[in-house]
Amino acid sequence: MKTSAYNPSPLEVDLANALFILQKEIEKHLQDNKIVDVESHINRDNPMVKFSLLDKDGDPHEIVVRIIQIPDKF
């Protein structure tokens, strides 16, 4: 399937939604950190998912995942 629209592309949006939906599964793999909030910005030029975390000492941390699809090379 050729991508007809970027910024955001349907694939970028789907991946951002998957990260949001799978937050509890992702948390299982974060040693000594708990996900306390997830913000999903799927309609941006490059969709973004921001995870707010608390470590075992109660210190807050933020991780941002920005999704960028590279143009198709057909």
Side-chain angles (χ1 to χ4, degrees):
M1 173 181 90
K2 292 186 180 181
T3 304
S4 60
Y6 293 91
N7 302 330
S9 74
L11 187 54
E12 290 172 332
V13 171
D14 286 348
L15 187 56
N17 280 327
L19 289 172
F20 183 82
I21 291 167
L22 293 172
Q23 60 186 281
K24 289 298 177 191
E25 288 299 313
I26 293 169
E27 184 178 60
K28 292 177 186 178
H29 302 278
L30 302 175
Q31 297 178 15
D32 299 322
N33 285 276
K34 179 180 178 184
I35 296 174
V36 293
D37 188 44
V38 178
E39 293 178 30
S40 180
H41 301 277
I42 61 171
N43 293 321
R44 297 177 93 170
D45 182 14
N46 297 41
M48 179 187 87
V49 182
K50 182 169 86 171
F51 294 87
S52 297
L53 310 163
L54 277 180
D55 67 18
K56 66 180 179 179
D57 297 325
D59 297 328
H61 303 279
E62 292 182 329
I63 300 288
V64 175
V65 178
R66 180 149 302 174
I67 300 158
I68 302 168
Q69 181 179 358
I70 296 171
D72 298 335
K73 294 178 175 94
F74 292 107

